[in-house]
């Protein structure tokens, strides 16, 4: 029995054990010191009995004068994870120490050192904090926010969680209280949930705030909110007599703008001034806008700013060119394609081998139906057989009758210009790209002169779309095939044919469908929108915006500036362009143009018009 009080007495829950009504017990520092002194004497006794105690791991590692399997404790290392129980490996004077367990403290006492805030507590303890011990922390202040964090001995910042895993509500930690919990990863999990009174207080505060905004239902205008407080600006209520909502503008009760429209008709008398002067139209399909009160006030029109054009209803297709509409989201992109390499004949595996071809010329013919892509360059993939083969020349060209070329054949080169192809056993090798106009749907012939080796890759299944011609001799370059023998309808040597297609990217000219203002003449136009660049582009050089008030007959240039960049997207707006110098008109159109074949998406435009 220790001379000091036990931990259960020092850190008891109540003044009288097991009697909650006696009140929560505060830890007396004198008792805690006495208990700690007893524990320290216990540790010392362990050292005398054969173990050792070190303040830091460095001190322990410097002392190897211990036998194998001796134990030692590290108690006060600044690196918390270095504290623990260690075991010696190796004979005295050699070997090393390895950490095998946490220190066997069941309870660690910590105190709020006052250097933090009510919502970010800094705590200090005489013993290192470990996940295997229960931690008791006395706090100084009531928290005012959520979540609340705690750091022990300047260590990692841990989020305090209730036992059920929730964050601490504002006011959930009361000044002078003791938190009991354990460290779990990056959280400090309490042994219990916070007091229900704190949750209730937080709920009541939210409800009080809600009541200050929505006052409820009344037969006549209220003069205070349900809590008896003055009515705040923006508060509203439901009038049970008028069957409408009213809001407080800070001086008087006002009806919501739509409240008077109860007969499905809209008239000048029913529209509030702000609605007459600021009209928002989304989609660009309205043929005319009537707004007699829009003089000197901006009118906003949108053409797919958020959702894309969605279709060509917002585009003047007759005045536009060079664009393609993205079918998924309605964005507009340049028509055509950049340079690309595609399969004219898709890859097939020459899984078997054909031999005995040394001294022969082979002509492999591909039916027109197997040549699926056109291009202005070509290359082929060849494969050797079980022992490989060497070819002195290989030619490609469109086929005439039988095994003959049509007369446009060209030589293929390999490895950067060599006319000789050397294939090791089962080796694959691409030819160099050569200029040649391949026509999709026209049959091709690849002719090759085998001068050594003589085994090449082969696919056994016969197919009428492929024909092999062969003879002894070297006439791969000859146009007319004479004296050739026709072999089985299977493929040898050539596994794949690719063609390169030239750049067909187009510059965009896109004109929006016109908006017609019936009863006033616009004097200024401003445009904003979103570009998504696929190539690096410069505003006002690679992409330009023009505006018109006569339906696109006359254009005035706008100057774009970047509002924000988000990855490849550029949010832009233009200056307010004066169109007073254009012929009188009220048909607003916007023209978007790209230059220098720069590819980008236009995700829609939004237009401001001022009379």
């Amino acid at each position: 029995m220790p001379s000091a009080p036990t931990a259960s007495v020092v850190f008891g829950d109540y003044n009288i054990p097991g009697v909650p009504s006696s009140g929560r017990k505060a830890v007396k520092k004198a008792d805690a010191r006495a208990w700690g002194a007893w524990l320290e004497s216990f540790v010392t006794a362990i050292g005398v009995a054969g173990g050792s105690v070190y303040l830091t791991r460095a001190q322990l590692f410097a002392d190897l004068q211990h036998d194998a399997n001796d134990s030692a404790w590290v108690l006060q290392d600044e690196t918390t994870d270095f504290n623990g129980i260690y075991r010696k490996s190796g004979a005295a004077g050699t070997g090393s120490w390895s950490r095998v367990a946490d220190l066997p403290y069941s309870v660690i006492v910590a105190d709020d050192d006052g250097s933090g805030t009510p919502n970010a507590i800094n705590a200090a303890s005489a013993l290192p904090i470990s996940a295997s011990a229960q931690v008791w922390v006395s706090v100084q202040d009531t928290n005012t926010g959520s979540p609340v964090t705690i750091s022990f001995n300047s260590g990692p910042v841990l989020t305090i969680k209730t036992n059920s895993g929730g964050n601490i509500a504002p006011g959930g930690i009361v000044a002078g209280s003791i938190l009991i919990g354990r460290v779990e990863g990056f959280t400090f999990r309490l042994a219990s949930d916070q007091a229900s009174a704190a949750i209730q207080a937080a709920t009541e505060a939210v409800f009080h705030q809600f009541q200050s905004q929505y006052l409820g239902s009344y037969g006549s205008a209220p003069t205070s909110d349900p809590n008896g407080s003055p009515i705040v600006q923006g508060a509203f209520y439901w009038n049970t007599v008028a069957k409408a909502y009213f809001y407080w503008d800070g001086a008087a009760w006002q009806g919501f703008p739509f409240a008077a429209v109860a007969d499905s008709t809209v008239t000048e008398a029913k529209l509030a001034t702000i609605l007459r002067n600021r009209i928002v139209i989304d989609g660009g399909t309205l043929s005319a806008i009537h707004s007699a009160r829009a003089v000197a006030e901006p009118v906003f029109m949108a053409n797919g700013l958020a959702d894309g054009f969605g279709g060509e209803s917002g585009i003047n297709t007759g005045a536009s060119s060079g664009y393609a509409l993205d079918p998924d989201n309605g964005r507009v992109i340049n028509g055509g394609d950049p340079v690309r390499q595609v399969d004219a004949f898709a890859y097939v595996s020459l899984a078997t081998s054909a031999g005995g071809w040394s001294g022969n010329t082979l002509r492999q013919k591909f039916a027109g139906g197997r040549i699926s892509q056109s291009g202005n360059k070509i290359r082929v993939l060849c494969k050797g057989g079980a022992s490989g083969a060497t070819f002195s020349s290989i030619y490609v060209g469109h086929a005439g009758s039988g095994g003959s070329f049509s007369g446009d054949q060209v030589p293929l080169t390999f490895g950067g210009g060599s006319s000789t192809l050397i294939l090791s056993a089962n080796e694959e090798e691409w030819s160099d790209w050569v200029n040649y106009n391949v026509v999709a749907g026209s049959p091709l012939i690849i002719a090759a002169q085998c001068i050594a080796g003589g085994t090449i890759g082969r696919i056994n299944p016969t197919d009428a779309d492929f024909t092999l011609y062969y003879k002894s001799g070297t006439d791969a370059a000859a146009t007319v095939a004479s004296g050739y023998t026709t072999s089985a309808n299977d493929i040898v040597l050539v596994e794949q044919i690719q063609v390169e297609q030239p750049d067909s990217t187009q510059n965009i000219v896109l004109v929006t469908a016109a908006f017609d203002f019936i009863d006033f003449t616009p004097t200024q136009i401003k445009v904003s929108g979103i570009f998504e660049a696929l190539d690096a582009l410069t505003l006002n050089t690679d992409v330009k915006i023009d505006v018109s008030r006569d339906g696109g007959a006359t254009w005035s240039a706008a100057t774009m500036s970047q509002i924000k960049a988000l990855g490849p997207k550029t949010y832009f707006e233009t200056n307010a362009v004066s169109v007073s110098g254009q012929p009188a008109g009220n048909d607003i159109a916007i023209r978007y143009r790209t230059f220098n074949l720069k590819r980008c998406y236009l995700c829609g435009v939004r237009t401001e018009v001022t009379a």
Side-chain angles (χ1 to χ4, degrees):
M1 183 74 179
S3 58
T6 63
S8 61
V9 174
V10 176
F11 306 110
D13 292 328
Y14 309 107
N15 289 315
I16 299 176
V19 182
S21 61
S22 66
R24 297 188 62 178
K25 182 177 180 179
V27 177
K28 294 181 180 180
K29 291 186 177 180
D31 290 345
R33 285 194 297 270
W35 178 79
W38 168 82
L39 184 61
E40 290 168 357
S41 66
F42 175 71
V43 170
T44 302
I46 292 176
V48 173
S52 299
V53 177
Y54 297 83
L55 297 182
T56 68
R57 190 181 72 169
Q59 293 173 349
L60 170 64
F61 281 10
D63 183 5
L64 297 177
Q65 299 302 321
H66 291 263
D67 294 330
N69 296 319
D70 276 2
S71 64
W73 290 17
V74 175
L75 294 180
Q76 296 182 13
D77 199 298
E78 291 183 356
T79 302
T80 302
D81 291 342
F82 289 174
N83 295 295
I85 300 174
Y86 288 75
R87 181 173 61 191
K88 175 67 164 44
S89 298
T94 63
S96 62
W97 292 97
S98 59
R99 190 179 187 278
V100 295
D102 291 336
L103 295 174
Y105 300 135
S106 59
V107 176
I108 299 173
V109 178
D111 292 299
D112 184 346
D113 64 12
S115 64
T117 68
N119 303 318
I121 302 168
N122 290 331
S125 64
L127 301 174
I129 303 298
S130 71
S132 62
Q134 187 181 79
V135 183
W136 291 42
V137 189
S138 60
V139 294
Q140 296 185 12
D141 303 300
T142 300
N143 71 301
T144 58
S146 179
V148 181
T149 64
I150 188 168
S151 172
F152 294 100
N153 304 317
S154 301
V157 175
L158 311 175
T159 301
I160 300 178
K161 296 287 187 178
T162 66
N163 185 265
S164 58
N167 287 325
I168 302 297
I173 297 176
V174 180
S177 62
I178 296 177
L179 305 181
I180 302 175
R182 301 173 71 95
V183 174
E184 295 180 357
F186 289 97
T187 65
F188 182 60
R189 179 67 66 90
L190 299 183
S192 62
D193 284 322
Q194 66 186 97
S196 59
I199 300 175
Q200 180 179 352
T203 303
E204 291 173 350
V206 173
F207 183 65
H208 187 280
Q209 175 66 20
F210 171 75
Q211 285 187 313
S212 70
Q213 298 297 315
Y214 175 63
L215 309 185
S217 300
Y218 297 86
S220 59
T223 58
S224 63
D225 71 16
N227 300 302
S229 302
I231 297 174
V232 298
Q233 188 175 21
F236 64 100
Y237 80 98
W238 174 255
N239 190 298
T240 57
V241 176
K243 305 299 183 185
Y245 284 103
F246 289 83
Y247 68 93
W248 181 254
D249 66 3
W253 288 104
Q254 304 289 346
F256 276 62
F258 55 81
V261 184
D263 57 0
S264 300
T265 62
V266 178
T267 65
E268 288 271 331
K270 292 178 181 177
L271 285 175
T273 300
I274 191 170
L275 291 183
R276 287 197 299 268
N277 291 347
R278 298 174 66 85
I279 303 173
V280 178
I281 300 158
D282 206 3
T285 59
L286 192 65
S287 61
I289 301 172
H290 177 79
S291 181
R293 294 292 299 277
V295 177
E297 294 287 344
V299 176
F300 297 91
M301 301 181 301
N303 199 336
L305 180 62
D307 300 321
F309 286 89
E312 293 190 332
S313 59
I315 301 173
N316 183 343
T317 56
S320 304
S321 62
Y323 72 91
L325 202 59
D326 185 337
D328 294 330
N329 52 32
R331 299 176 300 178
V332 170
I333 192 174
N334 308 67
D337 294 298
V339 174
R340 59 176 183 164
Q341 288 84 37
V342 296
D343 286 340
F345 173 67
Y347 176 85
V348 296
S349 176
L350 303 184
T352 61
S353 181
W357 298 112
S358 181
N360 287 272
T361 296
L362 311 177
R363 293 190 178 217
Q364 179 68 62
K365 185 174 183 178
F366 296 81
R370 292 303 180 101
I371 307 302
S372 61
Q373 297 280 351
S374 298
N376 60 358
K377 289 185 178 181
I378 190 173
R379 69 172 184 170
V380 302
L381 178 64
C382 302
K383 183 175 182 179
S387 58
T390 301
F391 297 87
S392 60
S393 59
I394 298 181
Y395 279 76
V396 63
H398 288 112
S401 61
S404 299
F405 287 117
S406 65
D408 63 355
Q409 65 271 23
V410 296
L412 293 173
T413 60
F414 296 82
S418 174
S419 61
T420 300
L421 169 63
I422 301 175
L423 292 170
S424 301
N426 301 313
E427 179 187 10
E428 295 176 321
E429 185 171 343
W430 279 103
S431 71
D432 302 324
W433 284 102
V434 298
N435 294 323
Y436 184 74
N437 290 320
V438 177
V439 179
S442 294
L444 282 179
I445 287 180
I446 286 87
Q449 295 171 188
C450 184
I451 61 174
T455 64
I456 54 180
R458 176 178 184 178
I459 184 171
N460 280 323
T462 60
D463 190 318
D465 286 347
F466 311 111
T467 307
L468 175 67
Y469 301 88
Y470 66 94
K471 78 170 186 179
S472 177
T474 55
D475 71 343
T479 298
V480 177
S482 176
Y484 280 82
T485 299
T486 303
S487 181
N489 299 327
D490 59 4
I491 306 174
V492 293
L493 183 61
V494 179
E495 285 190 315
Q496 191 172 358
I497 302 173
Q498 289 187 337
V499 296
E500 182 174 282
Q501 297 177 336
D503 190 336
S504 60
T505 301
Q506 303 175 55
N507 286 320
I508 297 174
V509 176
L510 186 134
V511 180
T512 63
F515 289 84
D516 181 16
F517 288 82
I518 294 176
D519 53 2
F520 75 92
T521 300
T523 61
Q524 288 186 330
I525 301 175
K526 183 177 181 179
V527 182
S528 58
I530 304 173
F531 292 123
E532 184 175 348
L534 300 179
D535 297 320
L537 57 82
T538 302
L539 298 182
N540 306 307
T541 299
D542 298 318
V543 60
K544 298 180 180 180
I545 296 285
D546 304 297
V547 298
S548 174
R549 71 174 181 183
D550 60 2
T554 308
W555 296 102
S556 296
T559 301
M560 289 180 287
S561 59
Q562 178 179 286
I563 301 175
K564 182 179 181 182
L566 185 61
K569 291 184 178 180
T570 294
Y571 294 76
F572 73 90
E573 68 177 5
T574 72
N575 60 320
V577 182
S578 173
V579 290
S580 297
Q582 293 186 5
N586 53 16
D587 294 330
I588 303 302
I590 308 301
R591 183 173 65 181
Y592 157 80
R593 294 181 293 166
T594 63
F595 298 85
N596 306 314
L597 299 180
K598 294 297 183 72
R599 297 172 302 142
C600 63
Y601 286 108
L602 174 65
C603 299
V605 292
R606 183 174 186 264
T607 310
E608 299 179 30
V609 180
T610 302

